[in-house]
Amino acid sequence: MKILLVCSVGMSTDILRGELIKYAKKEQLPLEVKAVGVHAYRECCTGYDVILLGPQIAYRREKIAAECGNLPVLAIAPGDYAAGNAAHILEQVETTLRGLEK
């Protein structure tokens, strides 16, 4: 699974990126994650399975989805984001992707 994390500047999502990678390794899940600021997502959104937004830019979900084609764009719940709850975040991504396969 390939995830693009987007937040205001890319710093807080880089912290979350580390949590996601650590959890994926522990659970032996194939995962590639890149963290960028909102200024950079357009240039690199191709090739990902999903885009995850930090809560601070969740209001831009529709705009980002429109600019990145058919990629699913999800806003991370503030509690999961703050706690780095990688298990719950990846569960939501997997549920979304399974729903798209049907």
Side-chain angles (χ1 to χ4, degrees):
M1 175 180 351
K2 291 181 73 174
I3 296 174
L4 180 63
L5 290 170
V6 183
C7 72
S8 293
V9 181
M11 292 171 61
S12 58
T13 49
D14 195 47
I15 295 167
L16 180 60
R17 177 186 167 276
E19 292 298 317
L20 291 169
I21 290 171
K22 184 168 52 172
Y23 177 81
K25 282 183 183 177
K26 183 180 104 181
E27 298 295 319
Q28 298 181 337
L29 301 171
L31 181 66
E32 230 181 277
V33 186
K34 181 175 182 171
V36 298
V38 71
H39 62 282
Y41 72 87
R42 279 183 222 94
E43 292 81 33
C44 60
C45 65
T46 57
Y48 288 90
D49 299 312
V50 64
I51 298 173
L52 297 180
L53 305 180
Q56 68 273 39
I57 63 162
Y59 70 94
R60 297 185 70 167
R61 193 188 70 71
E62 289 182 20
K63 181 179 193 273
I64 291 170
E67 293 175 345
C68 291
N70 293 326
L71 282 178
V73 179
L74 307 172
I76 302 169
D80 288 338
Y81 193 79
N85 190 348
H88 193 243
I89 293 167
L90 290 176
E91 179 183 310
Q92 290 178 315
V93 169
E94 289 173 359
T95 299
T96 298
L97 293 177
R98 274 195 307 267
L100 294 175
E101 291 173 354
K102 294 180 180 181

